[in-house]
Every structure is written in structure tokens, then in C-alpha cells.
Amino acid sequence: MNLAEGVQLVSFLVLAAMMIGAALGVVLLSNIVYSAFLLGLVFVCIAGMYILLNAGFVAAAQVLIYVGAVNVLILFGIMLVNKRQDFTPVKNAWLGKAATAAVCVGLFALLSTMILATPWAISGAMPIGDEAIVEIGKHFFSDYLLPFELASVLLLMALIGAIVLARRDFLPDELLDRLPEQSDALTLPERPRELISGSKK
Amino acid sequence: MQLQYFLLLAAALFCIGIYGLVTSRNAIRVLMSIELLLNSVNLNLMAFSNYLDPQNIRGQVFAVFVISIAAAEAAVGLAIVLSIYRNRDTVDMEQFNLLKW
């Protein structure tokens, strides 16, 4: 083992330990704000893994999109629905958790035996490294052109769909009374809507 | 450094994500678990891309697609959670039984 492999192995182990610990924290901690920040740590560790796998472009995309956009979006979501409520305990909740843990451990055992037993066709070619971004661009505009364009359409649909779902669909009455009439040039026409009844049980 | 290390790590992350997905009560934590699942799949794709297909990196292309789909999913999922929170005044998954019966 030369020096580069040793450095790679040590950084892999450090990143793996941080990632598993942070992922367990995301799932198990009771404060959801801590969970969101630990999720950012998981994303950063995965970006480090991508750098270890000779994929600098995707690592940069991971940091930009996941840490910069998705994690911030989740934090905003937490703060928008931040309601300190204690969930009513469900009967026999530990049974479900134990069953789920057993299923997850079993799934991990199954996957790991599959991983270790399969003879992988390891390619001996050198990774192309920094040329990867050129290669990704060629793939995007030749053989993966249709999925690329569909992804852009899907992002537009998600943008519009998220706005339609999340925008406030009704105005309270006192706010409607106070609003002057000339201000509706900049507002979208909104219809009043009934809250779903039966939510208070 | 071997392929198996990365695959085992991705499998562990996937199992943690599934555990969180099933057992969480908070809807936003469910979304975070889905992000964990998508990231473990991405890690698998990148490991295959580096070790099995290093010249013709199709795994990285797939990972970029998965990242973009995951961003869209997070936006729509949070919008749905906000909408449910506005209607039901809770984010408890046990009380989201509109479609149950």
C-alpha cells in the first residue's frame, strides 16, 4: 500500500464514520432542527465520497444542489411548520419500531451478502478524472438527450406545482376588509375555500 | 480501496433511510429520510461508474439526473407538507388519514 492509497483509505473511513453517525442522528434525534443540520453533514460527506470516486463535477453539483438548495429548503419547511407539539403516543409503537429495525437489519444483511458474493467485473482502465465533465456533456447532448430535455420539463412542472400547492389559497375575512380595492392589480384571483372539516378529532 | 466498501456503505445508508422513513412521525423527517435513500442510490451509481465503467462514465450522468429529480421531489414534497399542515394543523403522520377510508 503506497501513500496515496493509505490517504484514500483513511479519508474513506473518516467520511464513512461521519456519514453513518450523521445519518443515524437524522433518523433518531428528537429535535428536527438538529436533524436538518445533520442531514447537511451527510450531504457534505457524500460529496467527499464523490471526490474519492474521481467525480469532481458531481461533487460540486452535490454541494450546490443538496447542501445549498435542498437542505435550506428543508430548513425553511421546518421553520414554516414549526409547531412545538408532542405527538400523542401510539399504542405498541415499540413493536413497529422493533419490526422495522429487524427488517432493516435483515435487508442490510441480504444486501451485504449479495455485494460480497457477486464477482464484480472490475474494469482495469484508468478513470478519466477531470475529463469527466466533458464526457458528461457529450452524454447529455448525444445519447441522453431525451432524458435531459424531460428533466428540464419536469423541473418546470415541479416549480409550478410547488407554487400552486403551497400558495395561500384563501384570505382571512378581516384582511379582505382592510385591503383597498385598487390593490388587486397585483394579486392573483383567489377563491375562498373551506378548510377540510373533521380535522379536529 | 475497493468497490465493495462503497457498496456496503451505500447499503447501510439505505437501511438507515428506510428505518427513518417507516418510523418517523414528523412529515418533514420522512422527506429527509427520502433524501437519504436517494443519496445512497447516488453513491451506488457513482461507485459503479468509477470501478466498472471508468472511461464512459454513464453512472455520473445518471447521478446528475437523480440529483435533479431529488431537487424537484423535495420542493413538491415540502409544498404538500405545507398544504397538509395548513389544512390539518399538524405534521403528525399518524393523523394523515384522509385517504384511509
Side-chain angles (χ1 to χ4, degrees):
Chain A
M1 179 186 289
N2 53 20
L3 182 62
E5 285 184 5
V7 170
Q8 273 189 355
L9 190 61
V10 168
S11 45
F12 173 80
L13 289 178
V14 169
L15 282 174
M18 277 170 62
M19 194 164 95
I20 294 296
L24 284 175
V26 168
V27 171
L28 297 178
L29 282 185
S30 60
N31 192 339
I32 194 161
V33 181
Y34 295 165
S35 294
F37 282 109
L38 283 177
L39 188 70
L41 182 61
V42 174
F43 292 156
V44 171
C45 291
I46 287 179
M49 290 284 174
Y50 291 169
I51 292 174
L52 278 182
L53 288 168
N54 300 308
F57 171 68
V58 188
Q62 167 92 10
V63 172
L64 283 177
I65 296 174
Y66 271 110
V67 185
V70 172
N71 203 18
V72 172
L73 193 67
I74 286 176
L75 276 171
F76 267 102
I78 289 170
M79 289 172 192
L80 282 175
V81 299
N82 196 5
K83 183 179 171 190
R84 295 220 166 257
Q85 62 174 359
D86 295 325
F87 296 140
T88 53
V90 180
K91 261 194 305 183
N92 292 331
W94 65 273
L95 192 63
K97 285 190 180 182
T100 313
V103 166
C104 289
V105 170
L107 181 65
F108 179 70
L110 189 70
L111 284 174
S112 50
T113 50
M114 185 274 294
I115 287 166
L116 294 176
T118 307
W120 299 104
I122 302 284
S123 165
M126 280 294 289
I128 55 175
D130 284 342
E131 299 293 314
I133 183 165
V134 179
E135 196 66 30
I136 290 173
K138 282 179 188 167
H139 278 303
F140 272 161
F141 287 100
S142 59
D143 46 352
Y144 291 104
L145 183 61
L146 182 63
F148 182 64
E149 300 293 342
L150 281 181
S152 64
V153 175
L154 181 105
L155 282 176
L156 180 66
M157 282 162 51
L159 186 74
I160 298 172
I163 293 171
V164 168
L165 278 174
R167 82 186 169 102
R168 193 172 286 275
D169 220 4
F170 62 95
L171 290 172
D173 287 336
E174 64 270 24
L175 197 59
L176 272 179
D177 294 336
R178 276 193 286 117
L179 277 181
E181 277 303 311
Q182 70 269 17
S183 74
D184 63 351
L186 293 178
T187 60
L188 289 168
E190 290 184 344
R191 58 190 156 77
R193 197 177 63 176
E194 285 285 315
L195 282 178
I196 291 176
S197 58
S199 62
K200 307 283 190 295
K201 284 193 177 174
Chain B
M1 293 302 288
Q2 288 183 358
L3 173 62
Q4 281 89 351
Y5 296 164
F6 287 98
L7 296 187
L8 284 175
L9 186 65
L13 195 62
F14 191 83
C15 292
I16 293 172
I18 285 192
Y19 179 78
L21 182 68
V22 176
T23 58
S24 308
R25 298 281 302 273
N26 196 324
I28 295 182
R29 200 188 296 268
V30 172
L31 284 180
M32 294 200 279
S33 303
I34 294 175
E35 298 296 330
L36 283 184
L37 294 183
L38 289 166
N39 269 291
S40 73
V41 171
N42 260 347
L43 190 58
N44 251 337
L45 286 174
M46 301 293 280
F48 286 137
S49 161
N50 189 44
Y51 285 100
L52 307 185
D53 191 17
Q55 286 291 319
N56 196 352
I57 41 168
R58 281 165 291 202
Q60 295 193 20
V61 181
F62 271 86
V64 173
F65 282 133
V66 173
I67 287 176
S68 64
I69 302 297
E73 176 264 339
V76 176
L78 277 171
I80 290 172
V81 169
L82 273 185
S83 174
I84 291 178
Y85 175 71
R86 207 171 281 151
N87 281 332
R88 306 293 299 247
D89 201 28
T90 181
V91 287
D92 187 2
M93 293 296 281
E94 298 289 336
Q95 297 184 22
F96 295 164
N97 50 8
L98 281 175
L99 292 179
K100 207 168 174 183
W101 33 64

